[in-house]
Amino acid sequence: MADEVVLLDLYGSMFAMRVRIAFAEKDIKYDNREQDSVNKSQLLLEMNPVHKKIPVLLHNGKPVCESLIIVEYIDEVWNHNSPLLPSDPYHKAHARFWADFVDKKVNDPARRIWLKKGEELEIAKKEFIEALKLLERELGDKTYFGGDKFGFVDVALIPFYSWFETYETCGNFSIEEHCPTLITWGKKCMERESVHKSLADPKKICEIVFTVLRKKYGLE
Amino acid sequence: MGDEVKLHGTWFSPFVTRVQIVLKLKGVEYEYVEEDLKNKSPLLLKINPIYEKVPVLIHNGNPIVESLIVIEYIDEAFSGPSILPKDPYERSKARFWTKFLDDKGMPPLWKACWSKGEEREKAKEEALESLKILENEIKGKKFFGGNKIGILDVTADFFAYGIPILEELTKIKLLTEDEFPCLLKWVTNYCNDPFVKEYFPVDDPLAKEYFPPKGPLSASYKVGLHQSPPHKHAFYGAAFLESQNRRPKYISDIPE
């Protein structure tokens, strides 16, 4: 009996992009259903009643929520190819730590860069760059965070790369100037089909942020 | 060759406590190292340079940090009863709920313990929202883990003893019988579970050192100690909160 795999998606969401990359890496076919973040569908509200957010994976009708939890679920269920997490418990813990770091220390300042102005914007930029620098140090001279293999931490961080142009425009700064190694890593990841097919167009994201989101929050 | 396992922690941190419970459930022998977060040791700064926090588990020289990551590591690296479910879907649910607890449950409860005025009121409202969600989740079950304690019960350890103390501090009932009958039952079930009861010693010298015999929480202390059976968690909760009142600088160190 075939699996029914559905993704409740939202264009531009880096969290949804993580799941799409994981599916692509594993060559899993799925039904992608774009959601409306303002007028939330009954399905979304039913399947993620706690947070009411995307992404949500529906596997044979059963919901899995929270992007990194979904990616781990995908890795465990479709374990026939392209493992995203190492099998060794210590290296696995290490990968989980850095993916969690992206959520804890990159996501919030990144959001504030396009949401805030003045002093708050400057603080957000500083925190954002500090977090990226720590990630750069962790990357070192490896090709990917996973070493030779594209892995969990790469999946966690690369969607933010599609938002870099937006951050740079809002904050009037160059990320490459501060974190050149990370940009090299980003470009390398973009060469992978799973990534360039799954990431949103940076220009489109910029457009959405400036014409819709910033207006919504009273910034334009 | 034997495993060398060390746990760096503070006696009052619920994030450390949950790791200790899991180590005990797994049957892992370890050395405990008490850290002073006011004067962070060079060793702590070395083993957790990103967050400079506890708990830190060191297994054969390898440090692992962030309590939920530590718990999954312990489950995977050591033999013994499973802490997380084996089925991937059930595992994803367990991870979802422990993350919910740490993102939406603990922070407002923690904040409500030591903030004042409007900030405390806001934190209490948020804590109540999260408790409502948890009430729904525990309905029909003895523990979050089913018939026996699972990872979510262990992660929610602080709720079992922190809430009664918070209620005493603020003179406001959070867990009312009307709204939270199932959670209240869970608190009793959890605190009376033979494993949990055995785990916390009443006569902990460190706890006594931090707890003054005076102040508004001394009633809890006495009640906690002399309840039958003694409510060990109330004792720990009271001592911890009292220590917070006496060390305002530490409060400002607690991250949002």
Side-chain angles (χ1 to χ4, degrees):
Chain A
M1 194 195 81
D3 265 337
E4 195 202 37
V5 186
V6 176
L7 174 64
L8 302 187
D9 188 19
L10 184 68
Y11 186 82
S13 157
M14 42 287 242
F15 306 103
M17 284 181 227
R18 289 171 171 173
V19 180
R20 293 173 61 195
I21 294 169
F23 276 143
E25 282 286 316
K26 304 254 182 192
D27 200 23
I28 301 164
K29 303 279 174 281
Y30 63 99
D31 174 13
N32 197 69
R33 296 195 199 161
E34 183 73 14
Q35 298 295 298
D36 182 339
S37 63
V38 176
N39 299 308
K40 295 183 183 185
S41 70
Q42 200 49 40
L43 183 63
L44 175 59
L45 297 176
E46 227 175 271
M47 293 298 152
N48 190 358
V50 174
H51 300 299
K52 306 176 175 65
K53 292 204 272 189
I54 60 88
V56 180
L57 163 63
L58 300 174
H59 187 200
N60 296 326
K62 297 203 285 199
V64 184
C65 307
E66 297 294 295
S67 60
L68 293 180
I69 294 176
I70 297 173
V71 173
E72 277 216 54
Y73 175 81
I74 291 171
D75 205 38
E76 285 170 15
V77 171
W78 288 278
N79 56 11
H80 57 290
N81 68 347
S82 305
L84 294 170
L85 276 153
S87 50
D88 169 72
Y90 179 66
H91 293 121
K92 204 186 267 198
H94 195 78
R96 284 181 179 140
F97 173 85
W98 283 104
D100 179 63
F101 177 87
V102 174
D103 275 1
K104 284 196 164 84
K105 296 289 185 186
V106 173
N107 182 42
D108 184 64
R111 207 177 130 77
R112 280 185 275 129
I113 290 174
W114 62 263
L115 261 177
K116 303 288 181 190
K117 292 196 290 209
E119 179 73 29
E120 285 181 296
L121 167 58
E122 293 309 310
I123 292 172
K125 271 162 63 178
K126 184 166 171 284
E127 288 175 29
F128 179 71
I129 293 293
E130 268 168 20
L132 288 189
K133 279 199 155 100
L134 283 169
L135 281 158
E136 227 186 16
R137 219 172 65 191
E138 166 59 21
L139 179 66
D141 54 11
K142 302 196 292 276
T143 311
Y144 300 112
F145 284 94
D148 292 331
K149 295 207 287 210
F150 184 78
F152 193 60
V153 183
D154 304 284
V155 173
L157 182 61
I158 193 62
F160 286 82
Y161 185 78
S162 65
W163 278 71
F164 279 8
E165 190 174 319
T166 301
Y167 304 142
E168 287 173 328
T169 311
C170 291
N172 192 29
F173 69 121
S174 157
I175 295 174
E176 184 157 19
E177 215 175 273
H178 298 274
C179 305
T181 315
L182 216 57
I183 298 296
T184 308
W185 161 84
K187 289 180 180 157
K188 180 82 187 162
C189 288
M190 288 296 285
E191 288 171 14
R192 295 179 81 78
E193 194 178 340
S194 66
V195 176
H196 73 244
K197 272 189 152 168
S198 307
L199 255 53
D201 178 353
K203 302 240 175 289
K204 271 212 182 105
I205 292 176
C206 228
E207 195 188 308
I208 294 172
V209 169
F210 278 91
T211 61
V212 179
L213 295 175
R214 275 166 69 97
K215 267 210 186 92
K216 181 177 162 187
Y217 292 101
L219 285 149
E220 298 290 327
Chain B
M1 192 195 82
D3 274 323
E4 192 197 48
V5 184
K6 287 189 190 175
L7 177 67
H8 291 246
T10 52
W11 71 269
F12 51 77
S13 163
F15 304 98
V16 173
T17 302
R18 51 170 79 150
V19 173
Q20 289 178 296
I21 296 176
V22 169
L23 283 166
K24 181 94 177 170
L25 280 167
K26 229 31 190 181
V28 177
E29 302 271 323
Y30 66 99
E31 182 194 329
Y32 177 76
V33 179
E34 178 74 17
E35 291 285 343
D36 181 356
L37 295 182
K38 298 289 300 301
N39 296 303
K40 292 177 185 180
S41 67
L43 180 61
L44 179 63
L45 299 179
K46 183 170 167 233
I47 57 182
N48 191 358
I50 303 289
Y51 297 120
E52 297 177 1
K53 292 199 284 185
V54 290
V56 183
L57 184 81
I58 309 186
H59 183 201
N60 295 331
N62 292 324
I64 302 110
V65 304
E66 295 297 287
S67 63
L68 294 180
I69 295 176
V70 174
I71 288 173
E72 288 222 37
Y73 174 80
I74 295 167
D75 204 23
E76 288 159 10
F78 298 95
S79 58
S82 289
I83 308 297
L84 271 95
K86 287 208 160 49
D87 171 69
Y89 181 66
E90 295 300 321
R91 284 163 80 81
S92 75
K93 276 190 1 191
R95 285 171 179 148
F96 174 87
W97 284 107
T98 49
K99 185 178 192 319
F100 172 79
L101 212 62
D102 274 6
D103 288 352
K104 305 278 184 194
M106 284 292 276
L109 197 63
W110 196 264
K111 230 190 215 171
C113 283
W114 51 262
S115 61
K116 295 188 178 76
E118 207 179 299
E119 213 187 333
R120 172 176 266 178
E121 288 312 306
K122 186 164 176 280
K124 277 193 335 229
E125 257 178 60
E126 283 176 30
L128 274 170
E129 280 306 310
S130 298
L131 287 172
K132 283 189 188 126
I133 292 172
L134 288 170
E135 172 75 12
N136 214 38
E137 184 54 22
I138 191 78
K139 263 197 184 95
K141 297 194 280 208
K142 185 177 180 191
F143 298 111
F144 288 103
N147 284 326
K148 52 188 182 96
I149 285 179
I151 185 173
L152 186 52
D153 302 279
V154 172
T155 306
D157 182 79
F158 182 69
F159 279 68
Y161 61 84
I163 292 179
I165 299 309
L166 177 61
E167 286 172 341
E168 186 184 312
L169 255 187
T170 60
K171 306 287 180 240
I172 287 178
K173 198 98 178 78
L174 278 179
L175 286 182
T176 55
E177 186 64 46
D178 283 345
E179 282 194 85
F180 302 105
C182 304
L183 264 182
L184 274 169
K185 256 205 204 102
W186 171 80
V187 170
T188 308
N189 288 335
Y190 182 76
C191 290
N192 284 305
D193 179 82
F195 174 85
V196 171
K197 259 167 74 167
E198 247 181 65
Y199 186 79
F200 292 97
V202 178
D203 286 322
D204 189 289
L206 273 174
K208 282 198 165 140
E209 185 196 314
Y210 280 114
F211 192 79
K214 58 187 189 305
L217 293 173
S218 55
S220 286
Y221 169 79
K222 286 175 190 147
V223 166
L225 263 193
H226 295 107
Q227 253 178 22
S228 177
H231 196 312
K232 298 173 178 71
H233 296 96
F235 169 78
Y236 263 92
F240 161 57
L241 290 166
E242 182 64 45
S243 76
Q244 294 301 303
N245 288 333
R246 289 195 300 140
R247 295 195 294 177
K249 186 161 189 294
Y250 176 73
I251 290 170
S252 66
D253 285 343
I254 296 176
E256 295 293 335

